[in-house]
Amino acid sequence: MWRSLRLASTLGLCASVFGQSSTVDSYISTESPIAKAGVLANIGSSGVESSGAYPGVVIASPSTTDPDYLYTWVRDSSLVFKMLIDQYTSGQDTTLRGHINDFIAAEANIQQVANPSGTVSTGGLGEPKFNINETEFTGAWGRPQRDGPALRSTAMITYATWLIANKNETYVTDSLWPIIKLDLDYIMNNWNETTFDLWEEVDSSSFFTSAVQHRALRQGSALATAIGQSSVVSGYNTQANNILCFLQSFWNPSPGFMTANTGGGRSGRDANTVLTSIHVFDVEAGCDSVTFQPCSDVALSNLKVYVDSFREIYDINAGIRADQAVATGRYPEDVYQGGNPWYLASFAVAEQLYDALIVWSNEGLLTVTDVSFPFFQQFDASIKPGTYSSSTPTYSTLTTAIKNFADGFVATAAKYTPSGGGLAEQYTRSDGTPTSAFDLTWSYASALTAFNARAGKTSASWGAAGLPVSPACSTSKASTVPVIFNVNATTVVGQNIYLTGSVGALTDWSTTNAILMSSADYPTWSTAVTLPANTQIQYKYIIVNNGSVTWESDPNNEFTTSMSGITTLNDVWR
Ligand code: NOJ
Ligand code: NOJ
């Protein structure tokens, strides 16, 4: 009886996986033109929703109340135009040149507008948002936000590099370079100052901001070299090296994730980091962990920790298996406009995984390390660290499962996309109804870049491959080890076994955030946790049933983690 039930559910799973892939195919074919039209509608002055925005000015959304987003943000505009510039320079859409020229002219004006952050030479380039007629916004706001100049220069450098390859170097040197140089000099001189994060809330240092600044300086230095502006090169390279070193310090080894901000007093799990991975993706950089490439062990471990932080908090995620996609938002503690899942967060997770699949396919192999082991274990319970060539069954099993997992995030966005295809900023945590700003330009752009990644399309390389970091900037990756906890425990319906213990990765003896174990091999309950190496650990299993907690009897279980390699603990509930 039990076996046949299990067979039936396995077949059901296969059917739903194939069903999901074609659901995603058909969503993409209807949503792509809607998303593209949605982006163009929000660009002045011709965009049908842009409500008087000047030419090349991108509005965040046409929404004027709750929230009022009829402004232009440097971050949103630059991410949107990076997408459009990639489409133009790759030949995907050859009609966009007029818009790109308008964007450059608009941003060149905006750079010169004195604003509450300063003038062009006294910090004004860090101002996050402007009125849509290119005048300063003077209301109270989280300022400065220092990711803007980085994202803007990266978009323009991408265009400039293409122009040089297409015999238009004079225009680059005479017209584009002076605009780009203002942003790069600003980064070089200010990257080490505090900044509001991309969510405009936390004033500290921020992983996304530092990572996109690093990328911009590297690309800027290469462009400067190409056009003979060699005087800036050593300054840009020196600060790029310093930022790359600083970036390593955001790594939190147990459990393995990048803490989004140095301040803020939150768990640190944040879409900030997944967005970083896709916006620093360089298809020629392999699975480099130093630059946080999408298929790097650190970025995959981070993805799992980020995604898992939303499993228990949104009603719409209830009942979804621990190895399947769920709705995700900015960060679990978010309360803004209800603190809901965001479309661009769902698309970003999918995009990171599609990018990873592209690189594994190019390299003909994938590697499971001690750090990425918990991520891969979701898709193959018996996986061991090692390198798997594309001819092995393990490679096929993993990449097929990861493609399905990625598609699940698109399918989640699809499920909560209304019939007209409009993409708001958020969808509610209670029932998935679109909410907050409607027709968010960034939501549409994030859909389009994820769809392109799924189709195997990549952007131009930016020079991420093989960058050295000094030993003093080590990620301290060696200091964690994976531990598999198995406990044999007989339970009744409604009861679940959780793991809690004495270190952060074991939730510091929390009963409300304790780690839910999998009952796939009932009566053995299992979970894998990345723990600090060579450390004495105490832990207990607990049964939780409708909020009531039953502890194992005393004393605490205790062991010392190894220096390296995987440890499996086989316990019996007591
Ligand atoms: C508006 C910002 O745009 C948003 O990111 C933030 O969450 C809220 N203000 C609350 O600070
Ligand atoms: C709020 C978001 O937190 C921020 O990242 C964005 O720039 C603005 N909304 C405008 O879309």
Side-chain angles (χ1 to χ4, degrees):
M1 175 60 189
W2 185 80
R3 279 206 173 275
S4 66
L5 256 179
R6 182 168 158 128
L7 181 63
S9 76
T10 308
L11 287 172
L13 176 66
C14 291
S16 73
V17 161
F18 288 123
Q20 175 179 278
S21 175
S22 63
T23 308
V24 170
D25 287 343
S26 74
Y27 175 67
I28 291 176
S29 64
T30 50
E31 188 62 26
S32 290
I34 295 172
K36 185 68 174 290
V39 166
L40 297 177
N42 289 353
I43 301 174
S45 60
S46 54
V48 293
E49 302 230 51
S50 65
S51 305
Y54 276 21
V57 168
V58 181
I59 64 169
S61 149
S63 171
T64 52
T65 51
D66 200 21
D68 183 358
Y69 274 18
L70 194 53
Y71 294 93
T72 186
W73 273 259
V74 178
R75 171 182 37 262
D76 299 46
S77 309
S78 301
L79 289 170
V80 163
F81 261 95
K82 172 66 164 59
M83 180 276 295
L84 294 174
I85 287 167
D86 282 343
Q87 287 205 357
Y88 179 72
T89 56
S90 67
Q92 193 177 351
D93 182 345
T94 55
T95 70
L96 295 169
R97 193 158 183 153
H99 284 302
I100 295 169
N101 286 332
D102 287 349
F103 167 70
I104 291 165
E107 294 300 321
N109 286 336
I110 284 173
Q111 282 183 323
Q112 302 294 330
V113 173
N115 61 63
S117 294
T119 67
V120 63
S121 55
T122 64
L125 295 173
E127 181 71 2
K129 81 177 210 189
F130 291 82
N131 296 318
I132 64 175
N133 65 358
E134 299 172 6
T135 59
E136 68 278 19
F137 167 76
T138 54
W141 209 252
R143 58 168 69 90
Q145 297 176 21
R146 303 186 199 268
D147 56 339
L151 297 168
R152 179 165 59 199
S153 55
T154 280
M156 290 193 195
I157 294 167
T158 303
Y159 184 49
T161 307
W162 180 86
L163 287 170
I164 292 169
N166 287 275
K167 315 249 173 294
N168 212 338
E169 188 172 328
T170 311
Y171 167 73
V172 172
T173 310
D174 295 351
S175 304
L176 269 185
W177 175 248
I179 304 166
I180 293 168
K181 182 174 184 291
L182 284 176
D183 283 340
L184 295 176
D185 288 352
Y186 174 85
I187 299 166
M188 175 178 72
N189 294 325
N190 298 286
W191 72 267
N192 213 2
E193 305 289 325
T194 62
T195 176
F196 276 84
D197 71 321
L198 78 171
W199 308 135
E200 321 193 278
E201 294 171 339
V202 178
D203 187 14
S204 68
S205 293
S206 188
F207 185 64
F208 175 85
T209 303
S210 295
V212 297
Q213 289 176 336
H214 170 253
R215 175 186 174 156
L217 286 184
R218 295 278 176 207
Q219 273 185 292
S221 141
L223 175 64
T225 303
I227 59 174
Q229 300 287 329
S230 50
S231 64
V232 299
V233 169
S234 91
Y236 291 174
N237 285 346
T238 300
Q239 297 315 322
N241 289 338
N242 287 337
I243 302 174
L244 187 60
C245 179
F246 177 56
L247 282 167
Q248 312 308 312
S249 71
F250 288 78
W251 179 244
N252 184 330
S254 181
F257 71 105
M258 288 291 177
T259 304
N261 304 303
T262 58
R266 302 175 185 154
S267 69
R269 293 147 168 89
D270 195 314
N272 171 316
T273 59
V274 177
L275 288 163
T276 296
S277 164
I278 63 173
H279 291 300
V280 301
F281 176 43
D282 182 337
V283 68
E284 288 172 21
C287 297
D288 176 46
S289 61
V290 159
T291 55
F292 208 60
Q293 291 303 308
C295 59
S296 64
D297 56 359
V298 280
L300 293 172
S301 177
N302 178 75
L303 181 145
K304 178 180 190 305
V305 172
Y306 160 75
V307 168
D308 286 350
S309 73
F310 297 94
R311 292 191 181 278
E312 311 274 319
I313 65 168
Y314 296 152
D315 288 354
I316 57 171
N317 291 341
I320 297 179
R321 261 182 22 202
D323 60 349
Q324 289 181 358
V326 285
T328 65
R330 298 195 298 184
Y331 51 91
E333 302 87 348
D334 197 1
V335 294
Y336 174 58
Q337 295 281 335
N340 296 298
W342 283 42
Y343 292 97
L344 68 87
S346 302
F347 288 124
V349 175
E351 184 169 335
Q352 185 189 327
L353 295 167
Y354 295 140
D355 288 346
L357 288 160
I358 291 169
V359 174
W360 290 325
S361 164
N362 287 351
E363 299 197 335
L365 55 82
L366 69 77
T367 298
V368 178
T369 71
D370 283 0
V371 171
S372 56
F373 167 77
F375 169 80
F376 287 105
Q377 208 206 18
Q378 301 176 101
F379 312 108
D380 179 349
S382 61
I383 190 71
K384 297 275 174 300
T387 293
Y388 300 94
S389 99
S390 57
S391 60
T392 60
T394 302
Y395 178 96
S396 309
T397 306
L398 291 174
T399 52
T400 303
I402 291 167
K403 169 80 180 337
N404 291 329
F405 186 54
D407 278 354
F409 290 90
V410 178
T412 302
K415 179 173 176 186
Y416 300 117
T417 299
S419 55
L423 292 179
E425 181 182 72
Q426 312 183 19
Y427 49 104
T428 65
R429 58 199 292 157
S430 56
D431 66 5
T433 308
T435 192
S436 190
F438 60 90
D439 288 326
L440 189 82
T441 325
W442 188 2
S443 291
Y444 289 125
S446 73
L448 293 168
T449 55
F451 298 166
N452 262 356
R454 186 172 187 266
K457 298 193 178 100
T458 56
S459 314
S461 166
W462 60 269
L467 294 172
V469 288
S470 87
C473 310
S474 116
T475 59
S476 65
K477 276 197 299 175
S479 65
T480 64
V481 285
V483 178
I484 299 168
F485 291 83
N486 292 322
V487 61
N488 188 298
T490 308
T491 49
V492 300
V493 174
Q495 294 183 331
N496 282 307
I497 304 279
Y498 289 74
L499 170 66
T500 186
S502 57
V503 290
L506 293 176
T507 76
D508 287 322
W509 293 116
S510 168
T511 54
T512 46
N513 295 319
I515 299 163
L516 175 61
M517 302 185 75
S518 160
S519 61
D521 295 318
Y522 182 81
T524 301
W525 294 73
S526 300
T527 193
V529 182
T530 303
L531 294 177
N534 194 29
T535 303
Q536 196 180 61
I537 306 281
Q538 297 196 329
Y539 65 96
K540 267 190 179 183
Y541 302 102
I542 56 178
I543 296 178
V544 181
N545 190 357
N546 263 327
S548 86
V549 178
T550 309
W551 289 82
E552 262 192 307
S553 56
D554 283 334
N556 293 328
N557 304 303
E558 189 173 284
F559 77 115
T560 300
T561 54
S562 60
M563 295 292 287
S564 64
I566 303 177
T567 305
T568 303
L569 300 172
N570 292 307
D571 294 319
V572 177
W573 169 273
R574 29 174 194 83

